[in-house]
Amino acid sequence: MKIAIIGMGPAGTGVVRTLRRHDSDAEITMFSAENVPPYSPPALGDYLITGNKEGLFRHEDDFFKTYNVKQRPGEKIVQVMPEEKQLKTQNNEIFDFDHLVIASGSSLYAPVKGADKKGIYNFKTLDGADQIKRISQEDKTAVVLGGGFIGVEIALCLAKIGIKPTLLNRRGWIMPRLLDVETAGYVEKDLRAQGVEVLLNTEGKEFVGNESVDGLLTSNGKTLTADIYIAATGVKPNIDFIKDTDIEYDQGIVVDEKLRTRYPYIYACGDVAQTIDLLSGKRKIHGLYPVAMDHAQTAACNILGMEREYERPVNINSLKELGFKIIVVGNQKAEEVFEYKTENILRKIYITADKIVGFVLLGDISNAGIYLSLLKKKTNVAKFKHRLLSKGFSPGFLPGMGGVN
């Protein structure tokens, strides 16, 4: 059995590990557009700040030898031929497969004119992080376009290595898709305290310059200049190689409950897979490490004939580089909102039809695991919802754990 895997990130390597736990004979070949060993993109921020590669390269010293995998780093796939069960590389080499796993990850994206110019860095790749490290000095400046989760994370990382970032957001508050105005105020205050200049109600209209970027023209008519430019208004899956096929895609590749495309021998995992959200019931991309791990196990099991469905995910976001801990889960709109706050702590739980649909924990993240469990199980919390944020709340309040009956 020949198994081809496009991508060497967490989803791709996770597929290999699961396959090899049950099958030592299958011929596995991994392809990657990046000419580097497998690494963990979520660790790029820590690597940029500390230079520590241990968290970045969390795999065995010789992953490919350990798991008996053929490696093709730097071999970008340019075409998938589903009917023929073949792949074509940028060098026009053809590879046959019996099963294909698409785990090619995602890239930063900004629908702004000139975003393809030279001099705009891709922080989601090791090469992009290394480029920033090479030019980083305390007198350097950066413009980060996009005040969502990714943009905020990048700006904080840059500030911690002495670069002076300016962060643009077109809305009137930071991370508008994840946070309400009140919660965003805590984040914005910390950003400014760490040296990040925040420009709200400001859009990037065009990256100006000839072949290389010389500045960013904004919606207020000003042109911002810097040493480093990063476009981070969103991400898009790396799936150009399927766009001339009949594999269905929307935001990402559309899959069934077993992560199969319309071809039962082609799977999609991680950032490229558009799966059903636990809360909304709608298909969306969940670019989260735990989701990639679940997808990896699911795809591998189904390749081996071991029936398994993916766990419907819920959005979970956490920013490590703020001056406080914060976890944002699920929806921030609901019928009821329970809240506790002090100067440095904000805790909110969102409840609809007596079920938790989301929560924000800022400064104090205690009981996050309990709330997440209640949310995922869709537990009726009517009898104890007023105590969810009390200091004495514990699993003892929960049905079946000696608590509420």
Side-chain angles (χ1 to χ4, degrees):
M1 178 167 60
K2 290 184 177 181
I3 302 171
I5 301 173
I6 305 176
M8 295 185 185
T13 54
V15 169
V16 169
R17 286 195 175 90
T18 303
L19 287 171
R20 283 296 184 238
R21 278 199 294 269
H22 305 282
D23 187 332
S24 59
D25 297 324
E27 180 182 314
I28 304 174
T29 305
M30 299 186 79
F31 300 84
S32 174
E34 296 184 71
N35 194 12
V36 295
Y39 67 91
S40 177
L44 284 172
D46 183 69
Y47 167 67
L48 182 68
I49 296 167
T50 67
N52 184 358
K53 291 187 176 182
E54 290 183 8
L56 192 64
F57 298 102
R58 294 188 293 187
H59 306 287
E60 295 75 0
D61 290 339
D62 195 337
F63 175 85
F64 300 107
K65 183 177 180 181
T66 300
Y67 291 98
N68 186 24
V69 175
K70 295 180 180 180
Q71 56 173 311
R72 307 289 297 213
E75 288 270 8
K76 183 178 181 180
I77 298 298
V78 296
Q79 186 179 359
V80 173
M81 294 167 275
E83 297 282 357
E84 297 84 356
K85 293 188 176 182
Q86 291 180 328
L87 302 174
K88 181 190 285 188
T89 74
Q90 60 188 0
N91 299 322
N92 289 321
E93 290 187 73
I94 302 295
F95 290 86
D96 298 319
F97 63 82
D98 297 308
H99 296 275
L100 171 65
V101 178
I102 301 173
S104 43
S106 58
S107 301
L108 291 183
Y109 168 70
V112 176
K113 187 177 179 180
D116 57 347
K117 292 184 184 296
K118 294 179 182 178
I120 300 176
Y121 293 86
N122 183 3
F123 190 75
K124 276 184 69 68
T125 67
L126 179 56
D127 181 61
D130 278 336
Q131 288 180 42
I132 293 172
K133 283 179 72 69
R134 284 194 292 269
I135 68 170
S136 64
Q137 297 174 11
E138 291 200 358
D139 61 344
K140 296 291 185 180
T141 59
V143 168
V144 181
L145 175 59
F149 175 84
I150 295 173
V152 169
E153 182 178 44
I154 292 170
L156 286 167
C157 290
L158 294 175
K160 287 186 181 296
I161 60 173
I163 294 173
K164 298 176 181 177
T166 298
L167 180 67
L168 282 72
N169 192 59
R170 67 184 183 88
R171 300 285 294 276
W173 69 97
I174 287 295
M175 297 167 61
R177 292 184 180 180
L178 291 177
L179 305 179
D180 60 21
V181 174
E182 181 181 32
T183 310
Y186 285 75
V187 176
E188 182 186 340
K189 181 179 178 181
D190 192 75
L191 281 166
R192 295 186 186 278
Q194 293 199 43
V196 179
E197 182 181 1
V198 180
L199 301 181
L200 300 175
N201 297 306
T202 306
E203 289 187 69
K205 304 299 289 185
E206 179 182 358
F207 286 103
V208 297
N210 294 322
E211 292 185 2
S212 297
V213 61
D214 294 325
L216 176 64
L217 177 64
T218 67
S219 54
N220 58 18
K222 294 182 179 180
T223 298
L224 302 177
T225 59
D227 301 296
I228 298 169
Y229 299 88
I230 297 176
T233 57
V235 295
K236 62 176 181 179
N238 301 320
I239 56 173
D240 286 348
F241 47 77
I242 64 124
K243 292 186 176 179
D244 290 329
T245 74
D246 58 354
I247 294 175
E248 185 181 359
Y249 69 93
D250 181 24
Q251 295 173 324
I253 298 174
V254 177
V255 293
D256 66 11
E257 67 281 353
K258 296 179 180 177
L259 297 176
R260 299 174 300 193
T261 65
R262 64 178 300 168
Y263 295 92
Y265 45 84
I266 298 179
Y267 298 78
C269 295
D271 290 7
V272 302
Q274 193 169 338
T275 54
I276 297 176
D277 182 76
L278 176 69
L279 295 174
S280 69
K282 297 179 180 179
R283 292 186 181 276
K284 61 185 296 186
I285 292 175
H286 298 81
L288 305 170
Y289 181 82
V291 173
M293 293 298 93
D294 176 66
H295 284 187
Q297 293 181 44
T298 300
C301 285
N302 287 314
I303 287 172
L304 296 170
M306 304 160 59
E307 299 289 310
R308 176 180 166 129
E309 297 184 2
Y310 69 83
E311 180 181 346
R312 291 192 177 187
V314 59
N315 273 334
I316 303 173
N317 292 282
S318 175
L319 283 166
K320 295 190 297 182
E321 306 306 333
L322 288 169
F324 45 76
K325 294 181 179 180
I326 182 171
I327 294 177
V328 182
V329 176
N331 300 332
Q332 274 69 67
K333 291 183 179 180
E335 295 172 356
E336 298 178 278
V337 181
F338 293 84
E339 179 178 314
Y340 170 83
K341 64 180 177 180
T342 66
E343 183 180 355
N344 299 311
I345 293 173
L346 180 64
R347 291 164 62 82
K348 295 183 178 183
I349 295 182
Y350 298 83
I351 296 175
T352 294
D354 290 325
K355 295 178 177 64
I356 296 177
V357 295
F359 57 89
V360 174
L361 305 177
L362 184 155
D364 176 7
I365 62 171
S366 60
N367 286 338
I370 296 175
Y371 304 145
L372 182 59
S373 177
L374 292 171
L375 182 152
K376 285 185 172 182
K377 294 178 180 178
K378 299 185 178 182
T379 302
N380 189 306
V381 298
K383 293 184 177 180
F384 54 93
K385 60 186 177 183
H386 295 281
R387 288 176 280 179
L388 284 167
L389 291 174
S390 66
K391 289 185 178 180
F393 185 79
S394 72
F397 283 106
L398 305 183
M401 301 185 73
V404 178
N405 293 317

